[in-house]
Amino acid sequence: MRIQVNQNINKEYYNEYFSEWLRFRSIFKKWEHKIGFASLVVALVIYINNESLVYISGGLLVFGTLMIYEFYSSKSKWLKERLNSKMMGTEVTMIFEDDKVQSIGPFTEMNGKWEFFSDVVETEKGLILIPENGISIYLQNKSFDKQADIATIVRKIKLLTNNKNSD
């Protein structure tokens, strides 16, 4: 087996990466704006039903507004940092072979074993490779020459992680 994936790092990549991470990997962040809007509704309902609870309504209003702001501003900040990074406009090549995985980028090269990955998440638009909690590598589906290669990588990582967990 030899699967080579050439991933272009551009604005489209980062936007897709963030949305796929948010949907499939985020635990709290994906609920942040929903909690914020719910807090605003609860604040309004409390105030309409009992104006004497204006301080509770005000607190919920501030809390909800902060949650909504944090949700939308964090993506903007994250994206701005990546668009200003040295990785922008480059290409990273990942090569998956039977016994090893290689990553070749503009600033580094890595030769590792498949055990480097602790998990993999297949999304609608790509793969999130997870070396450890808090770190992930995103590969867009369109970066693969053959879509069957995606299933091969997922199967190999899942097999290794299942074997590791059963030991």
Side-chain angles (χ1 to χ4, degrees):
M1 162 182 63
R2 181 177 165 84
I3 301 169
Q4 181 170 324
V5 181
N6 298 314
Q7 179 62 65
N8 292 313
I9 309 298
N10 53 33
K11 186 175 183 178
E12 176 195 353
Y13 167 80
Y14 283 128
N15 275 315
E16 186 175 303
Y17 185 171
F18 188 87
S19 65
E20 295 296 278
W21 170 84
L22 186 66
R23 184 167 175 210
F24 292 95
R25 290 287 297 156
S26 165
I27 296 170
F28 174 70
K29 179 65 75 180
K30 65 182 158 193
W31 297 102
E32 201 169 42
H33 66 299
K34 294 173 184 167
I35 292 168
F37 284 117
S39 178
L40 295 179
V41 169
V42 170
L44 184 62
V45 168
I46 288 174
Y47 183 74
I48 289 171
N49 287 324
N50 189 347
E51 288 183 17
S52 67
L53 299 174
V54 68
Y55 294 113
I56 293 173
S57 292
L60 287 170
L61 181 70
V62 169
F63 174 76
T65 303
L66 289 173
M67 294 286 280
I68 294 166
Y69 174 78
E70 172 60 24
F71 177 80
Y72 290 104
S73 69
S74 65
K75 178 183 180 184
S76 176
K77 180 183 175 198
W78 183 89
L79 186 58
K80 183 178 179 183
E81 289 171 356
R82 266 102 201 128
L83 294 178
N84 291 328
S85 78
K86 292 179 181 179
M87 287 298 293
M88 181 65 181
T90 63
E91 181 178 271
V92 174
T93 300
M94 300 240 1
I95 302 170
F96 300 90
E97 298 181 86
D98 287 324
D99 58 340
K100 67 181 178 178
V101 177
Q102 293 177 296
S103 173
I104 304 162
F107 309 111
T108 187
E109 288 188 23
M110 182 276 296
N111 288 305
K113 297 182 178 186
W114 281 89
E115 289 80 4
F116 174 71
F117 301 110
S118 64
D119 201 4
V120 61
V121 177
E122 185 174 6
T123 73
E124 294 170 6
K125 297 180 180 181
L127 279 181
I128 300 174
L129 305 170
I130 304 159
E132 60 183 77
N133 279 341
I135 298 174
S136 59
I137 300 164
Y138 182 68
L139 300 173
Q140 293 174 300
N141 284 346
K142 68 182 186 177
S143 297
F144 287 84
D145 291 332
K146 295 183 280 183
Q147 294 304 300
D149 291 343
I150 295 169
T152 302
I153 293 169
V154 169
R155 194 170 35 255
K156 178 100 176 184
I157 294 172
K158 291 289 186 184
L159 179 66
L160 289 170
T161 56
N162 288 340
N163 287 342
K164 191 185 316 181
N165 291 337
S166 65
D167 288 341

